[in-house]
Amino acid sequence: MGAGGRMSSPSSIKKSDSDHLKRVPSAKPPFTLGELKKAIPPHCFHRSVLRSFSYVVYDLTLASIFYYIATTYFQNLPNLLFYPAWALYWAAQGCVLTGVWVLAHECGHHAFSDYQWLDDTVGLILHSFLMVPYFSWKYSHRRHHSNTGSLERDEVFVPKKKSALKWYSPYLNNPLGRVLTLTITLVLGWPLYLAFNVSGRPYDRFACHYDPYGPIYTDRERLQIFISDAGLLAVSYGLYRLVLAKGLAWVVCVYGVPLLIVNGFLVLITYLQHTHPALPHYDSSEWDWLRGALATVDRDYGILNKVFHNITDTHVAHHLVSTMPHYHAMEATKAIKPILGEYYHFDGTPFVKAMWREAKECIYVEPDEGEKTKGVFWYNNKF
């Protein structure tokens, strides 16, 4: 949805599997970031406080309605409907709260309003409610945007070279191994990343998003990491009081399971945005910011594109102009696609199928044999 109303999604373009897997160009593009910004209508850069808050109110209203229905009526359902009703609640609430997560992500990019203090206040509240250390993630995520596609400096989902694979990697390169790997990634990937920097860039010492003195952060950022931790402690204490008042099972059903779904979608969305057989990665001899930002892919999640505020199908534009509000991203994507040409990549493969394919095809990265340029790396899965 752009400022001018409903617009055609990139997903409306039908492509064959071979088109989806066709490599995007890895050479320096014939256009500049300035030319791309000029192609975007000026109003797309405008951030409206009222419009941004309207999405927060909408999402929180939906979440409140789902909560009210579940806690008021489910107890009166017969056993035949009781468990399916809870499963439906978990799925719906998890999707809506993922949308709330995305709005806090907007705040972290200063795309919510023109006021940094307002963005940080809203982001801190929303992300803390979802057990995300807002400032901690904001700073590491900012560095991801500054170093996307770099094998040395990118912050998350940094692919490994073949020589750096663990000894057990070949034994997981089968259907059962992929099921195990994907299950662990979707269920535990987000907390493991926050606590232990799993799938993140290597540091010279232990890195943790909860540690104000960790290597991820500079001295100027450490106070705000303490604030993030304080927000999580406040929410954790509130959950503790809820457990005492309502019981652990109630808190798990109402809050815990939807949060697991949020975490799973967050990891899946990020994984599929940056993991694709057609996307290059670069070492320091070849990497530059624009080529790295273009090494991302827009995906199609069906109706969930709207629920997730189009973070899924406008990710390329988001990496090019991260301060642009999500409600203008569809219009901006349509405006820059003619300039991007083959540098724009969209894959309409259903996300479950795409997840399985990428887990199978994207095991490690290496340069093409015989190529003079050795600083461009592509995914491979041959052992």
Side-chain angles (χ1 to χ4, degrees), residues 120 124 133-140 217 224-225 227-228:
D120 285 342
L124 178 65
Y134 170 73
F135 288 108
S136 310
W137 168 86
K138 171 184 172 178
Y139 290 127
S140 67
Y217 308 110
Q224 291 179 308
I225 310 308
I227 295 174
S228 293

Side-chain angles (χ1 to χ4, degrees), residues 166-195:
K166 301 294 185 182
W167 63 268
Y168 52 79
S169 297
Y171 300 101
L172 295 175
N173 191 29
N174 55 70
L176 182 60
R178 283 189 284 276
V179 168
L180 177 63
T181 301
L182 286 171
T183 300
I184 294 174
T185 300
L186 295 179
V187 176
L188 298 177
W190 179 239
L192 288 176
Y193 170 65
L194 292 178

Side-chain angles (χ1 to χ4, degrees), residues 120-274:
D120 285 342
T121 301
V122 174
L124 178 65
I125 293 171
L126 295 182
H127 262 173
S128 296
F129 174 74
L130 297 172
M131 299 305 294
V132 179
Y134 170 73
F135 288 108
S136 310
W137 168 86
K138 171 184 172 178
Y139 290 127
S140 67
H141 189 66
R142 177 183 295 173
R143 293 187 181 95
H144 158 62
H145 272 256
S146 298
N147 299 284
T148 306
S150 168
L151 290 175
E152 288 93 355
R153 298 187 303 275
D154 202 353
E155 282 287 340
V156 66
F157 283 118
V158 183
K160 288 182 171 59
K161 298 178 183 179
K162 189 175 183 179
S163 59
L165 291 178
K166 301 294 185 182
W167 63 268
Y168 52 79
S169 297
Y171 300 101
L172 295 175
N173 191 29
N174 55 70
L176 182 60
R178 283 189 284 276
V179 168
L180 177 63
T181 301
L182 286 171
T183 300
I184 294 174
T185 300
L186 295 179
V187 176
L188 298 177
W190 179 239
L192 288 176
Y193 170 65
L194 292 178
F196 304 107
N197 199 39
V198 173
S199 86
R201 62 166 285 189
Y203 286 93
D204 57 2
R205 59 190 178 91
F206 178 69
C208 171
H209 278 72
Y210 306 112
D211 180 9
Y213 297 100
I216 302 176
Y217 308 110
T218 66
D219 290 338
R220 294 179 60 186
E221 296 165 348
R222 304 198 193 283
L223 175 60
Q224 291 179 308
I225 310 308
F226 277 111
I227 295 174
S228 293
D229 292 346
L232 296 184
L233 287 173
V235 174
S236 297
Y237 179 73
L239 291 173
Y240 167 72
R241 299 295 299 182
L242 271 177
V243 168
L244 294 180
K246 298 285 190 177
L248 178 61
W250 188 93
V251 173
V252 169
C253 286
V254 171
Y255 175 80
V257 178
L259 185 64
L260 284 177
I261 293 174
V262 172
N263 293 347
F265 266 125
L266 166 62
V267 171
L268 177 61
I269 290 169
T270 309
Y271 173 71
L272 290 182
Q273 285 168 341
H274 297 283

Side-chain angles (χ1 to χ4, degrees), residues 48-92:
S48 166
V49 173
L50 289 179
R51 187 167 184 182
S52 294
F53 265 114
S54 72
Y55 290 96
V56 175
V57 171
Y58 178 81
D59 282 357
L60 294 182
T61 299
L62 273 182
S64 299
I65 291 172
F66 293 156
Y67 163 81
Y68 176 78
I69 292 173
T71 56
T72 304
Y73 298 108
F74 284 8
Q75 60 187 349
N76 299 322
L77 292 174
N79 288 337
L80 186 63
L81 298 176
F82 181 78
Y83 296 104
W86 274 110
L88 182 61
Y89 166 80
W90 293 333

